[in-house]
Amino acid sequence: MTKILLVEDNEDNRDMLGRRLSRHGFSVCFAIDGPSGVRMAHNELPDVILMDIALGEMDGWEATRLIKDDPRTTGIPVIALTAHALASDRSRSVEVGCADYDTKPVDLPRLLGKINACLPGGARAA
Amino acid sequence: MIASLRLAPFRLYAVLDWFVPEKMKEEAESLRRARMFLISHLFGPFLGHTISLYILLIGPAPDAAWWIFFGIITLFWAFPLALKITGWFVPLALISVQNLIFTILWGCYHYGGMSSPLIPWVITVPLLAFFYLGSGQGVRIFVLAIILLNLAGFYLIYSLGHGFPTHIPLAQLSGLGIVSTVCASVYVSMMALYYANIAMSQSDLEREVKRRLETAAQLREATNEAERANQAKSEFLAKLGHELRTPLNAVIGYSEIMLEDAVIAERQQQSVDLKKIHNAGNHLLKLITDLLDLSKLEAGKMELFVETVDVRALVAEVASEYLDAAAAAGNALTVDVDPAIATIEGDATKLRRALVELVSNAVRFTANGTVTITARSDGEWLRITVRDTGVGIEQQRLATLFENFEESEDATTSKYGETGLGLPLSQRLCRLMRGDIAVESTLGEGSCFTIRVPVMLRAGAAAEVDEAAARDERHRARGSLVLAIDDDPAVLELLQRILAKEGYAPVVAASAFEGLELAKKLMPALIILDVFMPELDGWQLLKLLRKDAALRDSRIVMLTVDDNVKKGPALGADAHLVKPIDRHALLRLIRDLGVEPSPFGTRLLDRPAIDLLEEAQI
């Protein structure tokens, strides 16, 4: 089963997106801020990480950079989620090594498409 | 001021100015001197010949002295033409002054000697010299010198024993005394009156310019204040937007989850209700997003993200989103992308957004018809056309279709965009990408919207965009200042009302010279220039404005009464507008020239701007 790590500080969003992803056949684990996101990535080694950007103290860019710097987690695709569709956000996401980028509120079919595009053929969810 | 200028003999100017060399028209002072010169040379000889003919009447048959007298008076009529041909004003004025003193002394010498009735004419010599050449020390010395030299010359002839010739006995000359004095008085009065008229209107003009400058400074301050307020508004909107999105997230997300649950459990009624909540949430989200983006665009904070865009995929993706909605309304949605188009360099997100807006509108306003998305490229531009066979749009509404909903006069326009913001936003996004959106429509037959964007936004565009941004920045720095120059107060008032209402800061000038001075001092973003003006016509003024490097970035619109506008672009005009002024055409033209009203400025600027300008009106 494909494992997704969702790093999101808003409880509603975490709950919603987690439930919907589970329903689509993913196994979802959660982190509520940047540092715990980096820790969870090490411990759980998920197939995909969904990274909220506005996370408080350590933001999503910084967390992604730490994940990409670590040889154990560097290969895990990260999809950044931001509230704005700013060009600066998009170029930033490329810069820190995100595989893709999406805006909130999440359009689930579109996000699923992006998740599947990141996965190697065998790991795809049903 | 307008009234006093009206007194000036405008029709006469048309004749006079034909003789004035182009170079002298550039400066108000030199033009005035040239006109003085021309008036005295065109009308003076008539008064002079009154005397020469009177002498012919009372005297014997014309002899050499009379013919010379007659000839040198007539010679004055040649001066305007000489000025026209050579353009040498100062030498001609000097020769003219010399000719005048010689003529007068010649007349005195031959007709009456020391007690000649022509002596009063001597006072016209310094007077005219000062009119032509000003009253500088050099001029004073010169005039005195030539009067003395001429007097000395005649005295020499007299003292060498020639005495005064007596062509006519002194007793007979008493009649000539009256004629001569009256003519000299008329001449001096004519010149003095003309000079007084000019001096008066000049000081009026100066006062008026000063007053307008103060008004403009206040306007500028008000504009700056409005811009600061606008900045605060943008920040507030960005924060508010974030605060609104968070709860909206929950509404949209949870309603979607429940909807999915309800569909699985086949709870029909609940599905319908939840769908409504979900749709309303999405609608609200789009409204907020559009509002924020429009405010970002107005604040100049919208950025371009240029990447390689797969046009075929983008169009297919948008079309697939609306297949269901189209089918539900009985519409056939077809896509026709030219196979030759592979990818373009552009901003995918913004292009997609504009296309979504057009497709969603087309699907919404078409029932049992067709919606066709066509993509074509000519190597330079990509054109994506969305054509529908829907209800169509009324002709008069087409003009305001892309205006913000706050600006359009009828609320029904909002029917054509989900929020009334969608189309204006899409158009501005396309313009940001150096493209545009055009529309054609026939009521009852359907509409056709075309997006046009450059195929290579990146190639050389970075510099170009920077250049454009810098230019926009310069325009912004000048605010939304618009200078209108027209001799017709009714036109000025109309322009002022339209522009102020729209959020521009209008300043008006009722004459060409006043306009020129104001333009140099204010450096307005836009100058509206009437072609037919007395003193200096619009074309001449246009040339002068374009010579000034500081006004290089000012856009200039010519106001004409006919379509004879070929001159405009050659002389540096950016556009022209045909009188009578059509409000929509004017505003569209101004916006097309890249001059934007002070954002949200109308409300803040309205009061002070209009009050100040009303005060400045005479």
Side-chain angles (χ1 to χ4, degrees):
Chain A
M1 190 185 264
T2 305
K3 190 193 277 180
I4 294 180
L5 170 61
L6 173 59
V7 188
E8 164 69 78
D9 63 345
N10 181 292
E11 196 184 335
D12 283 349
N13 285 342
R14 211 163 51 225
D15 176 43
M16 248 168 8
L17 193 52
R19 272 162 65 183
R20 298 173 79 190
L21 289 170
S22 305
R23 200 175 347 210
H24 280 86
F26 294 99
S27 145
V28 187
C29 54
F30 302 96
I32 59 162
D33 58 19
S36 71
V38 176
R39 210 167 43 242
M40 288 284 282
H42 287 181
N43 298 344
E44 299 284 333
L45 293 176
D47 296 295
V48 177
I49 299 171
L50 297 181
M51 179 71 75
D52 181 32
I53 293 308
L55 280 178
E57 197 103 326
M58 181 199 284
D59 68 15
W61 305 124
E62 179 66 11
T64 304
R65 217 176 42 73
L66 290 174
I67 290 168
K68 288 290 165 187
D69 280 351
D70 190 316
R72 286 171 301 171
T73 53
T74 191
I76 303 172
V78 177
I79 297 176
L81 300 177
T82 76
H84 316 286
L86 290 182
S88 56
D89 285 350
R90 299 180 54 147
S91 50
R92 189 88 186 269
S93 70
V94 173
E95 198 180 294
V96 298
C98 293
D100 212 332
Y101 162 101
D102 210 342
T103 52
K104 299 202 297 186
V106 163
D107 173 349
L108 196 64
R110 190 175 66 200
L111 182 63
L112 288 176
K114 289 183 176 180
I115 291 172
N116 281 330
C118 295
L119 295 172
R124 292 194 175 208
Chain B
M1 187 206 74
I2 291 165
S4 66
L5 271 183
R6 281 283 147 101
L7 288 175
F10 285 149
R11 272 175 213 291
L12 182 62
Y13 285 156
V15 179
L16 294 184
D17 287 358
W18 184 81
F19 292 103
V20 180
E22 288 302 315
K23 224 169 62 198
M24 292 192 76
K25 289 181 186 170
E26 287 177 17
E27 207 189 310
E29 183 57 32
S30 68
L31 179 60
R32 274 180 206 125
R33 283 183 184 175
R35 283 176 178 167
M36 291 292 281
F37 181 83
L38 290 164
I39 285 185
S40 72
H41 283 82
L42 290 173
F43 296 104
F46 285 111
L47 294 162
H49 279 315
T50 310
I51 297 164
S52 68
L53 293 176
Y54 186 83
I55 291 171
L56 193 64
L57 213 65
I58 58 169
D63 52 6
W66 185 87
W67 278 115
I68 290 173
F69 187 57
F70 184 84
I72 50 184
I73 293 174
T74 309
L75 186 66
F76 283 110
W77 271 325
F79 278 83
L81 214 56
L83 179 66
K84 166 85 180 169
I85 293 165
T86 63
W88 302 336
F89 178 74
V90 175
L92 283 172
L94 295 176
I95 296 170
S96 165
V97 172
Q98 162 58 37
N99 194 42
L100 183 63
I101 183 70
F102 181 80
T103 307
I104 294 164
L105 293 180
W106 180 270
C108 292
Y109 181 76
H110 287 281
Y111 305 105
M114 294 299 240
S115 46
S116 169
L118 298 179
I119 281 178
W121 280 84
V122 175
I123 60 162
T124 64
V125 177
L127 192 68
L128 289 177
F130 298 150
F131 283 163
Y132 304 158
L133 299 163
S135 54
Q137 201 182 7
V139 175
R140 274 180 286 173
I141 291 171
F142 167 80
V143 172
L144 199 61
I146 60 164
I147 291 176
L148 290 176
L149 271 175
N150 281 279
L151 273 173
F154 278 98
Y155 182 75
L156 202 67
I157 298 167
Y158 170 78
S159 61
L160 283 178
H162 294 277
F164 291 118
T166 47
H167 304 279
I168 303 170
L170 203 57
Q172 270 185 285
L173 284 174
S174 56
L176 180 63
I178 293 169
V179 173
S180 167
T181 311
V182 168
C183 286
S185 309
V186 168
Y187 191 36
V188 170
S189 309
M190 176 182 85
M191 297 310 289
L193 271 175
Y194 178 71
Y195 185 78
N197 191 8
I198 281 189
M200 200 171 68
S201 66
Q202 196 178 357
S203 63
D204 266 359
L205 196 66
E206 275 165 9
R207 259 203 311 280
E208 188 60 18
V209 166
K210 203 172 153 218
R211 200 156 163 177
R212 295 263 158 96
L213 281 176
E214 280 166 12
T215 309
Q218 282 165 309
L219 272 178
R220 198 175 288 278
E221 185 48 42
T223 310
N224 287 344
E225 203 170 294
E227 266 159 24
R228 277 197 296 277
N230 190 45
Q231 184 68 28
K233 181 216 69 180
S234 293
E235 282 163 22
F236 170 73
L237 272 181
K239 271 196 193 123
L240 184 70
H242 186 72
E243 296 299 317
L244 286 171
R245 274 162 190 268
T246 310
L248 208 49
N249 245 349
V251 172
I252 294 171
Y254 280 109
S255 64
E256 202 168 338
I257 291 180
M258 290 173 77
L259 184 60
E260 285 165 6
D261 287 343
V263 169
I264 291 165
E266 292 182 3
R267 289 192 298 268
Q268 209 72 39
Q269 184 56 48
Q270 208 174 16
S271 301
V272 173
D273 293 348
L274 285 165
K275 185 81 189 149
K276 282 180 183 162
I277 296 177
H278 189 248
N279 285 347
N282 275 326
H283 186 124
L284 198 52
L285 180 68
K286 182 175 188 294
L287 181 76
I288 292 168
T289 311
D290 283 358
L291 256 176
L292 287 178
D293 285 348
L294 259 183
S295 116
K296 222 181 283 168
L297 269 167
E298 284 189 341
K301 284 187 180 160
M302 187 66 92
E303 304 160 78
L304 278 177
F305 184 80
V306 181
E307 60 190 336
T308 304
V309 185
D310 184 340
V311 177
R312 180 174 300 278
L314 185 133
V315 173
E317 194 187 309
V318 172
S320 72
E321 277 179 38
Y322 287 92
L323 275 177
D324 291 347
N331 292 322
L333 178 61
T334 56
V335 173
D336 169 19
V337 179
D338 185 348
I341 305 173
T343 57
I344 65 160
E345 294 298 313
D347 188 320
T349 314
K350 294 181 181 62
L351 183 58
R352 188 178 191 286
R353 190 119 177 242
L355 184 59
V356 162
E357 182 67 36
L358 300 189
V359 175
S360 76
N361 282 347
V363 167
R364 189 142 27 98
F365 294 108
T366 310
N368 303 317
T370 56
V371 174
T372 315
I373 310 174
T374 315
R376 293 283 179 272
S377 168
D378 60 4
E380 190 184 351
W381 299 98
L382 169 70
R383 288 187 173 80
I384 304 181
T385 304
V386 180
R387 185 184 295 276
D388 67 55
T389 56
V391 294
I393 304 162
E394 285 164 36
Q395 213 57 33
Q396 70 261 37
R397 203 173 283 157
L398 280 179
T400 55
L401 202 58
F402 293 109
E403 289 179 13
N404 288 357
F405 70 144
E406 54 171 313
E407 289 165 1
S408 62
E409 278 152 15
D410 55 334
T412 41
T413 306
S414 64
K415 227 176 79 184
Y416 288 87
E418 192 165 276
T419 62
L421 291 175
L423 281 176
L425 178 69
S426 300
Q427 190 185 45
R428 293 204 190 179
L429 287 175
C430 287
R431 288 186 175 173
L432 187 70
M433 295 185 275
R434 311 270 139 228
D436 210 342
I437 296 185
V439 58
E440 289 166 29
S441 187
T442 311
L443 199 62
E445 286 180 23
S447 311
C448 175
F449 287 81
T450 303
I451 295 173
R452 180 181 59 106
V453 289
V455 167
M456 292 293 285
L457 189 51
R458 198 202 308 267
E464 198 181 292
V465 170
D466 281 356
E467 163 66 18
R471 204 173 53 227
D472 288 350
E473 195 51 50
R474 284 201 293 275
H475 278 291
R476 219 190 313 284
R478 281 155 196 212
S480 41
L481 209 59
V482 177
L483 172 64
I485 308 172
D486 196 317
D487 60 310
D488 184 347
V491 172
L492 288 182
E493 202 194 315
L494 177 71
L495 283 171
Q496 196 173 300
R497 242 198 347 253
I498 295 174
L499 294 169
K501 187 166 169 256
E502 226 37 51
Y504 294 96
V507 178
V508 298
S511 80
F513 289 119
E514 188 194 352
L516 185 61
E517 287 189 52
L518 276 173
K520 283 180 174 170
K521 286 177 184 157
L522 299 177
M523 296 190 295
L526 180 85
I527 301 171
I528 300 174
L529 190 50
D530 183 31
V531 168
F532 292 103
M533 281 188 291
E535 295 193 294
L536 199 62
D537 77 25
W539 302 120
Q540 290 169 328
L541 183 53
L542 175 62
K543 271 194 267 180
L544 299 183
L545 289 170
R546 276 300 175 224
K547 264 189 203 161
D548 194 320
L551 294 171
R552 209 187 45 204
D553 289 324
S554 294
R555 304 302 174 90
I556 301 182
V557 175
M558 304 300 294
L559 277 183
T560 62
V561 285
D562 55 32
D563 271 325
N564 178 23
V565 290
K566 284 182 187 139
K567 258 173 162 177
L571 295 177
D574 291 291
H576 78 277
L577 202 63
V578 178
K579 277 184 180 179
I581 297 164
D582 173 66
R583 182 176 161 268
H584 287 301
L586 171 71
L587 294 174
R588 199 166 341 118
L589 185 68
I590 296 179
R591 276 183 190 263
D592 285 349
L593 289 173
V595 181
E596 296 283 335
S598 181
F600 282 68
T602 12
R603 246 129 281 141
L604 285 157
L605 201 57
D606 230 7
R607 297 286 326 142
I610 287 178
D611 289 350
L612 285 168
L613 280 164
E614 268 168 6
E615 260 169 45
Q617 282 298 297
I618 294 175

